[in-house]
Amino acid sequence: MYILGIWDGHDAGAALVEDNRVVYAANEERFTKRKLEVKFPYNAITAALSYAKLKPTEIKHIAYSTTEFTKTLERIYPGMKERYYLFRRRKIPKPRFDNFRHELKYGMTSIGILPLCREISSSIIARQLRHMGFKDFRLHVVEHHTAHAATAAFTSPFSKALVITVDGLGDGLSGSVSILDNGKLERHVKINARDSIGIFYEQVTNILGMRELEDEGKIMAMADYSYPFALEENRFREYFNVHGTSMNAKYSPGRQFDMLQRIAWQLPREQTAYMAQQLFENVLMKFVSNAIDRFNIGDVAFAGGTFSNIKSNMKIRKLEALKHWYVFPHMGDGGIALGSALYTHHMLTGNAKYKFNAYLGDAYTEAQTESVIKSDKQFQYERENPEDQAKHAAELIAKDNYVFWFQGRMEYGPRALGDRSIIASSSSDSVKDRLNLYVKRREWFQPFAPSILESDIGSIVEYDSKGVDRYMTMAYPIKADARRIAKSTVNVDWTARPQVVGSENPLYEKVLEEVKKSQGLGVVLNTSFNIHGMPIVLNPEDALLTMKKTNTKYMFINGITVTNKRGV
Ligand SMILES: [Fe+2]
């Protein structure tokens, strides 16, 4: 039985689940080339069906999520959603009354679920699906935090666990605690949208001149450049209170936005970032710690956008009472389509474990790739055995070149994990600045991350019996004697967010093995194959266009080695 999951909000997407496995999952941004796309995911749905060779009429169960008042209003008036997308991403000049827009948004989004909204939302979604050719299907609605919780619970290695979700907001909530036990997922705690630590962080992002729901990672990185100070000196410290498993914001979101602006106006940006990060970490640590104490369960699975913050994850992970940790790799709203599908499949079949890996998107054959490359005279190319490509890429990296590496199925989630990656030497003195300035076009303080061969992880990062996260969801201190070899991939505080590479990606593993031969440890700099602000590339056309735009010389793509004649 197939379940199609869809999500038509921030970072829209589609996912297909069959029996106990995830067949396909991708986000709409890769197809429309608009980062964190909000439109109905026509392209992702079509790609999911095409991958599984299914016709729309063969799908009998479709799941979607989130029927709160604002979401329903946006479904009725898609133009409203589009305008807010452009406003939030700063694609339009700053409108007058932008503070009023924010206050209106915070007021409306905290209304939550109304039965009428659910009916209206379902009828609009069903109509859009019928236009695509779906017929005689049953439409399932999954509450927002239930969808987040399902991704963490059902793809985790745990049979019994606490499942904690914390995000900006969805369906009137900003967080939840559930227990996964005996194949059942049961919620015990809710945090209201008004008391959202995720919204707090979004607001600071906005006030510091960046894009909320997109640039929060920059605030986290910028915080590292402030001089440290104690929580007692943090002017935001009283904004949130955690008592047991309840979390309370001192101010309403609208009033909080106003207060934050007034304080940030007086301070250097990195100091405001530091205060936000420090408060955020403290609130989440206390909340998680109290939840573990209350339910006496030390294995915890996490989802929701706040768990993309690798620095606070690092602090939470150190909690003594926390025994084992799992964070769903696509923890933000981009994972909602899959969460909806998983929860629906679980409710229909009772299944509570699903095979999941990070490589769930589209793939292209060598012939498809060649047909794209041969039509463009700017590129020279030759066929090369993929194993030889791994060796060739490692040689170029050793000479301080960066290379584009495109193989197999596209990664699911925000991180490139060796199928749509830009890779470079981890020990280079200059590659970080070159990539930031000329390829990625990012701000100087944004760090890169390493991919590390599984067998070398213990030689490079400090970790403990709680294990190592494989998918760049956690920061770890880098060992003192590995700092030289990993220097282009570490943050200013000598931590890094590694990908652990093993047999799940044999070709990428081979690259790291070849790198190891020349430098002693299997580690490279790995960043996503895109220009900053654009989604990760989907197909060979996108890859070639990115080569042109960035004047990149070398690319290894599906058994074809490409050289850009105008590359540098
Ligand atoms: Fe969410």
Side-chain angles (χ1 to χ4, degrees):
M1 177 172 61
Y2 284 100
I3 312 283
L4 176 68
I6 61 172
W7 167 239
D8 61 336
H10 169 76
D11 204 6
L16 197 61
V17 171
E18 184 201 22
D19 300 332
N20 65 345
R21 71 190 180 108
V22 183
V23 176
Y24 178 96
N27 291 91
E28 188 70 3
E29 61 164 25
R30 308 289 167 93
F31 303 93
T32 62
K33 318 301 172 201
R34 297 203 318 167
K35 193 160 186 184
L36 304 168
E37 180 61 87
V38 292
K39 288 182 177 166
F40 188 83
Y42 291 107
N43 297 288
I45 294 171
T46 306
L49 295 185
S50 159
Y51 183 85
K53 298 187 172 53
L54 292 168
K55 295 191 203 90
T57 47
E58 291 174 84
I59 302 286
K60 297 298 167 205
H61 295 278
I62 303 177
Y64 83 102
S65 174
T66 316
T67 56
E68 63 190 23
F69 175 72
T70 328
K71 202 86 204 57
T72 306
L73 209 58
E74 287 177 348
R75 287 182 180 121
I76 301 169
Y77 303 107
M80 196 176 123
K81 179 161 69 169
E82 177 65 14
R83 271 196 302 280
Y84 198 78
Y85 172 81
L86 296 174
F87 169 58
R88 184 179 60 67
R89 297 202 71 220
R90 302 189 179 215
K91 293 290 182 194
I92 50 171
K94 187 180 181 195
R96 285 181 192 181
F97 314 120
D98 62 317
N99 267 11
F100 171 71
R101 282 187 187 215
H102 273 110
E103 298 217 6
L104 187 69
K105 176 200 152 191
Y106 297 132
M108 290 202 307
T109 46
S110 56
I111 293 174
I113 304 177
L114 303 170
L116 180 63
C117 289
R118 189 181 158 118
E119 273 179 46
I120 295 170
S121 271
S122 290
S123 95
I124 294 170
I125 295 276
R127 193 178 65 218
Q128 284 166 310
L129 289 166
R130 281 195 294 271
H131 275 153
M132 292 189 75
F134 292 93
K135 270 186 196 156
D136 305 324
F137 56 89
R138 193 173 145 203
L139 191 62
H140 303 261
V141 184
V142 180
E143 185 270 337
H144 189 89
H145 279 265
T146 305
H148 275 312
T151 57
F154 301 146
T155 67
S156 79
F158 310 130
S159 53
K160 180 173 181 178
L162 268 192
V163 182
I164 298 183
T165 67
V166 181
D167 67 356
L169 59 86
D171 278 338
L173 300 181
S174 65
S176 71
V177 180
S178 308
I179 292 176
L180 172 72
D181 192 15
N182 233 342
K184 290 202 166 53
L185 185 64
E186 198 177 325
R187 180 180 291 170
H188 293 264
V189 175
K190 292 187 217 176
I191 305 169
N192 287 328
R194 182 200 173 278
D195 303 307
S196 172
I197 189 71
I199 293 286
F200 162 82
Y201 209 94
E202 278 175 30
Q203 290 181 338
V204 173
T205 306
N206 178 302
I207 288 164
L208 293 184
M210 298 184 201
R211 297 164 295 195
E212 61 200 79
L213 283 173
E214 185 167 344
D215 288 339
E216 280 72 14
K218 289 192 197 175
I219 302 301
M220 184 186 71
M222 192 192 286
D224 279 346
Y225 288 89
S226 166
Y227 62 85
F229 47 87
L231 185 62
E232 291 68 42
E233 294 171 52
N234 187 327
R235 293 172 67 184
F236 304 148
R237 71 184 178 280
E238 287 171 354
Y239 281 32
F240 281 84
N241 260 318
V242 179
H243 290 293
T245 49
S246 76
M247 193 187 294
N248 297 102
K250 186 172 181 184
Y251 303 110
S252 69
R255 174 107 172 94
Q256 180 178 272
F257 189 63
D258 200 33
M259 299 290 290
L260 289 170
Q261 274 184 311
R262 293 169 69 180
I263 293 174
W265 186 75
Q266 297 181 293
L267 300 172
R269 289 202 306 171
E270 60 274 20
Q271 206 169 318
T272 303
Y274 183 90
M275 294 199 307
Q277 178 69 19
Q278 187 187 49
L279 178 75
F280 181 81
E281 287 171 0
N282 274 278
V283 166
L284 282 180
M285 272 167 68
K286 204 165 175 188
F287 180 69
V288 173
S289 172
N290 292 352
I292 294 172
D293 283 353
R294 176 177 162 189
F295 297 105
N296 197 25
I297 300 173
D299 291 350
V300 190
F302 297 90
T306 60
F307 296 107
S308 63
N309 191 309
I310 52 157
K311 287 295 180 67
S312 80
N313 287 354
M314 184 169 77
K315 300 257 168 78
I316 293 166
R317 191 172 179 278
K318 285 182 184 155
L319 291 169
E320 214 168 291
L322 189 142
K323 298 295 176 228
H324 296 101
W325 155 287
Y326 171 79
V327 61
F328 179 65
H330 204 359
M331 63 292 274
D333 281 358
I336 288 288
L338 179 57
S340 306
L342 290 174
Y343 190 74
T344 302
H345 196 278
H346 161 75
M347 292 303 283
L348 293 173
T349 65
N351 191 24
K353 273 288 159 269
Y354 294 85
K355 284 186 198 134
F356 171 83
N357 68 54
Y359 308 100
L360 294 168
D362 298 81
Y364 301 86
T365 63
E366 190 177 299
Q368 284 172 316
T369 307
E370 188 176 4
S371 74
V372 174
I373 294 166
K374 74 179 178 193
S375 60
D376 197 323
K377 299 294 172 237
Q378 188 177 327
F379 301 102
Q380 276 176 339
Y381 72 94
E382 57 177 346
R383 288 181 178 224
E384 196 177 12
N385 176 308
E387 298 254 314
D388 293 338
Q389 283 194 309
K391 199 173 170 189
H392 190 171
E395 283 164 9
L396 288 170
I397 289 168
K399 291 179 189 156
D400 213 5
N401 295 289
Y402 56 82
V403 303
F404 287 178
W405 183 258
F406 181 125
Q407 311 281 355
R409 293 186 75 179
M410 182 173 68
E411 298 90 341
Y412 174 57
R415 305 285 166 231
L417 299 166
D419 277 11
R420 303 285 187 278
S421 285
I422 300 171
I423 50 180
S425 166
S426 63
S427 59
S428 169
D429 287 316
S430 64
V431 79
K432 180 181 162 187
D433 288 341
R434 276 187 285 142
L435 283 172
N436 264 341
L437 283 169
Y438 306 119
V439 183
K440 303 287 291 193
R441 298 170 192 174
R442 308 192 307 171
E443 283 168 272
W444 63 270
F445 57 86
Q446 290 187 265
F448 290 103
S451 291
I452 302 176
L453 205 56
E454 190 157 19
S455 54
D456 284 341
I457 196 80
S459 307
I460 297 174
V461 307
E462 285 176 15
Y463 68 99
D464 53 26
S465 59
K466 294 175 187 179
V468 183
D469 289 40
R470 300 188 77 82
Y471 296 134
M472 294 186 170
T473 50
M474 170 71 69
Y476 298 89
I478 294 292
K479 289 187 167 175
D481 52 3
R483 287 177 182 178
R484 189 193 54 77
I485 206 164
K487 69 180 162 213
S488 67
T489 71
V490 294
N491 306 318
V492 69
D493 62 353
W494 295 111
T495 61
R497 177 191 69 199
Q499 176 197 1
V500 182
V501 182
S503 57
E504 75 283 352
N505 193 337
L507 205 50
Y508 195 42
E509 187 182 30
K510 175 82 177 149
V511 175
L512 288 162
E513 281 166 356
E514 293 294 337
V515 167
K516 182 173 178 159
K517 284 180 192 166
S518 63
Q519 67 172 23
L521 287 171
V523 52
V524 294
L525 178 156
N526 169 18
T527 184
S528 51
F529 191 163
N530 63 326
I531 298 171
H532 186 60
M534 291 288 289
I536 295 176
V537 297
L538 167 76
N539 54 29
E541 286 89 342
D542 296 345
L544 283 186
L545 193 61
T546 307
M547 269 192 110
K548 280 186 180 176
K549 282 186 175 170
T550 57
N551 295 320
T552 294
K553 192 152 192 181
Y554 304 108
M555 173 161 69
F556 298 91
I557 177 165
N558 298 328
I560 296 175
T561 300
V562 185
T563 310
N564 182 355
K565 291 180 197 166
R566 291 185 211 151
V568 289

